[in-house]
Each structure stands twice: as C-alpha cells, then as structure tokens.
Amino acid sequence: MHDDSEVAVLRLGHRPGRDERMTTHVGLTARALGADRVWVPDNAGQSRDTVADITDRFGGPFEVDLTDSPQGIIRNWEGRVVHLTMYGERVQDVEGDIRAAHREDDEPILIVVGAEKVPFDVYEEADWNVGVTNQPHSEVAGLAVFLDRLFEGRELEREWADADRTVVPMETGKRVEEVDEE
Amino acid sequence: MHDDSEVAVLRLGHRPGRDERMTTHVGLTARALGADRVWVPDNAGQSRDTVADITDRFGGPFEVDLTDSPQGIIRNWEGRVVHLTMYGERVQDVEGDIRAAHREDDEPILIVVGAEKVPFDVYEEADWNVGVTNQPHSEVAGLAVFLDRLFEGRELEREWADADRTVVPMETGKRVEEVDEE
C-alpha cells in the first residue's frame, strides 16, 4: 500500500480469447487488495483497459501497464520476488519472512502470478516460491489470500483518491454515492 | 472443514461459454480452502466435472453438485447464509459474528457467490451481506479471503483422503508424489 514500500503484481502468460477474465480478475484483485501496480502481458490490452477504467471510476492510486518482457521485469526488480505456485513452500511457513523483508527491511515486493506453464527460470529467479495450499485452485484466490496475509488486513482500511463513486457498506441492498471532490 | 459444522458454497448464475473458468475456480477455491461442498448451476456441467476430477486425483472429502434451484437451496438451508457482495457490510466488521455462529453455535454456513446480477431476494434472505472490500474485483478472490478468515488459516493444515497424488512443498521446482494407499 502507498504508505509502505512498493508491492507490484506481474501476470505471467495470457492466452487471448481464453484468459481475459482471469487476467482482468488478477488485476482487479491486485488493486482492491492493496498492491500498488500490476503488469499484464502485452496481448492482454482488454484486461488492461478494464482495470484502468475501474481505477478511473473507483479511485487509486493504482497503475496498470502492459509489458512485452515479463521475465525482464523479474530480472530487473530491485527488491524481492515472490512466485505463487502450488508447488511452492507453504504460505503459513514463509509469510513471516516475506512480511519482515517488506516491512522491516523496506524491500519492494514483486508477486508473480502465472497462467498455465511457468518457465523454470521463474522458479530459480524467485526469492520465494509460495503455495497458498499445495492444491490446484485459482491464481486469483492465491493472490487474494497472499495479499491479505502480507498486509495482515490493513489493505481493507485503505482509502481511495480521485474516485467518481464510492460504495457505502449496507446490511441489505446497494448504495453507490457520487464523490464530489473540489 | 470436516471437523466443524458444514460450510457449503453456492455459485449463483452461470453463463455458458463465458463463465466456465470463473465457476470452475469458485469450485476449486471452495475445495482447496476448506469448504465441504459446492453447488453450481445446472448449466455448468463442465465446471462440475472439472472439480470432481480434481477431487478424484487430489483427494477429499469434497462434494460438487449441480442444482436447478439455487434460491431453493438458500431458502431451505438449515443454518446461516452469507452472501458475498461488494455492496455488503465490511468483512472485518462482521467476520467475528459469523465465526461465532459457526464455531460456538455449530451453525452450518452457506456462502453465496454471485455472477453478474443477483436477485434482490438473495440480499433479503441472507443473514449477512458481506463485502471483501467495497471495490469491484473478483468473486473468486472474495471467496478465498472470506474462507481464510472464517477458518483463521486452519484450512491450510487440512489433510486429504483418497488422493492419487500429493504435491510436496519445495523451495524450488516441482515434486508430485503418487499416493499408495492400502
């Protein structure tokens, strides 16, 4: 979140016509749950546009960008790299070390979220390969649980700047208010 | 989880040809993160089959079923109903009450996860309408964070019965072992 050192999400791999919604949900989850930015592959322009549109309407700051070199982003990242994979170490065993690196050592954190096959280089370049369970489920679910644990729930208290609208929590029903900023 | 009163997930709404992967990920996330069963709409047979196949290979117990009457399941549920929606009360404000109902009062919990438009009846029939943030993101992410908070991480320690294979957590690389049960 913006009071800490940066947390970025990198979506690795995207098959057009098949992954649009998953890649969009990765981006929206990164935004809603406290990351500062997301990169998506350069063939995922539709997902990029949707995330940018939500940020325009519901607020930021949050950056979404295309990249033609996801592995370049990993190699050049000045901080620590977490790769989420069902083959990795158990999140409950390593989350404390990752939080300490982020919060005590002010290390920026890059969270890599794969689609299907992830090149073996990524496993080697990551500082941590982390499994949110060692079961097959969803990269969106894994990212969500990881962010909630990294921030220990502080991301839920985040305030949003430059929003056109805001949702007011309700016991029953829906309330959306326009935000009238000076 | 199986040592507690039941936790079930109900996927509400499914547009064939568009929602297959989202509905599948809802089902797989329910399984991986400690729910006992999931219902998906009767036009989501492909998602049902995928979740059943993963359960056969990676273990259970976990039930996946089709339903032609999702709102009937809500009305007939003998326990408490949680509807996840970005318009609901903040998860951090209500999760304690929901956990107490589940763990202290042994109430079975039905978690309703919508696709696009959710009928207003569902908001009224739910005991809690809950927002995992009041931001638009992903029903899969919302379900994942909600389950992790409901179980307070105990779901990550779950053991699986009748698995053909198991993934061994690794710092780097992939290890899948065959399970040879007597």
Side-chain angles (χ1 to χ4, degrees):
Chain A
M1 290 187 297
H2 50 286
D3 54 337
D4 295 322
S5 51
E6 188 174 31
V7 174
V9 173
L10 171 65
R11 168 65 158 177
L12 206 66
H14 175 86
R15 293 154 301 175
R18 183 167 146 78
D19 285 339
E20 262 64 35
R21 291 181 69 211
M22 297 313 303
T23 297
T24 299
H25 283 220
V26 165
L28 294 178
T29 297
R31 172 185 171 277
L33 295 178
D36 299 287
R37 69 182 301 168
V38 66
W39 281 284
V40 299
D42 59 359
N43 61 353
Q46 188 183 322
S47 296
R48 190 265 319 267
D49 292 349
T50 301
V51 176
D53 178 56
I54 292 288
T55 303
D56 281 347
R57 288 154 62 202
F58 289 88
F62 186 74
E63 289 292 321
V64 50
D65 294 295
L66 301 180
T67 174
D68 61 2
S69 176
Q71 290 192 252
I73 287 175
I74 297 174
R75 276 192 301 272
N76 297 323
W77 182 254
E78 298 187 354
R80 310 297 284 272
V81 176
V82 174
H83 171 220
L84 298 181
T85 162
M86 66 178 276
Y87 301 102
E89 295 182 274
R90 306 188 323 159
V91 63
Q92 62 269 46
D93 295 339
V94 295
E95 65 183 83
D97 289 347
I98 300 171
R99 262 198 308 271
H102 181 233
R103 228 178 289 168
E104 291 160 30
D105 304 337
D106 290 322
E107 291 273 10
I109 303 285
L110 177 65
I111 304 167
V112 182
V113 177
E116 306 272 283
K117 287 277 175 201
V118 170
F120 192 70
D121 287 357
V122 173
Y123 288 82
E124 293 190 318
E125 283 159 4
D127 293 290
W128 292 279
N129 292 287
V130 178
V132 175
T133 79
N134 296 101
Q135 297 292 319
H137 55 104
S138 172
E139 61 268 43
V140 174
L143 176 62
V145 168
F146 183 79
L147 287 169
D148 190 39
R149 287 171 170 253
L150 176 64
F151 296 124
E152 293 184 299
R154 291 178 304 125
E155 81 284 359
L156 301 177
E157 308 293 337
R158 170 171 184 178
E159 295 186 0
W160 299 91
D162 300 321
D164 287 343
R165 66 195 73 188
T166 185
V167 171
V168 180
M170 296 268 285
E171 262 189 59
T172 309
K174 304 180 182 183
R175 187 186 294 165
V176 183
E177 290 184 353
E178 308 243 325
V179 178
D180 193 19
E181 281 179 305
E182 290 309 295
Chain B
M1 294 187 297
H2 51 285
D3 54 337
D4 295 323
S5 52
E6 189 175 30
V7 173
V9 173
L10 172 65
R11 167 65 159 178
L12 207 66
H14 176 87
R15 293 155 298 176
R18 182 166 147 78
D19 285 339
E20 262 63 36
R21 291 180 72 209
M22 296 313 302
T23 298
T24 300
H25 283 220
V26 165
L28 294 178
T29 297
R31 173 185 171 279
L33 295 178
D36 299 287
R37 68 181 304 168
V38 67
W39 282 283
V40 299
D42 58 359
N43 61 355
Q46 189 182 321
S47 295
R48 189 265 319 264
D49 293 348
T50 301
V51 176
D53 178 57
I54 292 287
T55 303
D56 281 347
R57 289 154 61 201
F58 289 89
F62 186 75
E63 289 293 322
V64 51
D65 295 295
L66 301 180
T67 175
D68 61 1
S69 176
Q71 289 192 250
I73 287 175
I74 296 173
R75 276 192 303 272
N76 297 322
W77 183 255
E78 298 187 354
R80 310 298 284 273
V81 176
V82 174
H83 171 219
L84 298 181
T85 162
M86 65 178 277
Y87 301 102
E89 295 182 274
R90 307 190 320 158
V91 63
Q92 62 269 45
D93 295 338
V94 295
E95 64 183 84
D97 288 348
I98 301 171
R99 262 199 307 269
H102 181 233
R103 228 178 287 168
E104 291 160 28
D105 304 337
D106 290 322
E107 293 272 11
I109 304 285
L110 177 65
I111 304 167
V112 181
V113 178
E116 307 272 282
K117 286 278 176 202
V118 170
F120 192 69
D121 288 356
V122 173
Y123 287 83
E124 292 189 320
E125 284 158 4
D127 293 289
W128 292 279
N129 291 288
V130 178
V132 175
T133 80
N134 296 102
Q135 297 293 319
H137 55 104
S138 171
E139 60 269 41
V140 174
L143 176 62
V145 168
F146 183 79
L147 287 169
D148 190 39
R149 286 171 171 253
L150 176 64
F151 296 124
E152 294 184 298
R154 292 178 303 127
E155 82 284 358
L156 301 178
E157 308 293 337
R158 169 169 186 181
E159 295 187 0
W160 298 90
D162 300 321
D164 287 344
R165 67 196 73 189
T166 185
V167 171
V168 180
M170 296 267 285
E171 263 189 59
T172 309
K174 304 180 182 183
R175 186 187 295 166
V176 182
E177 290 185 352
E178 308 243 326
V179 177
D180 193 18
E181 280 180 303
E182 292 307 294

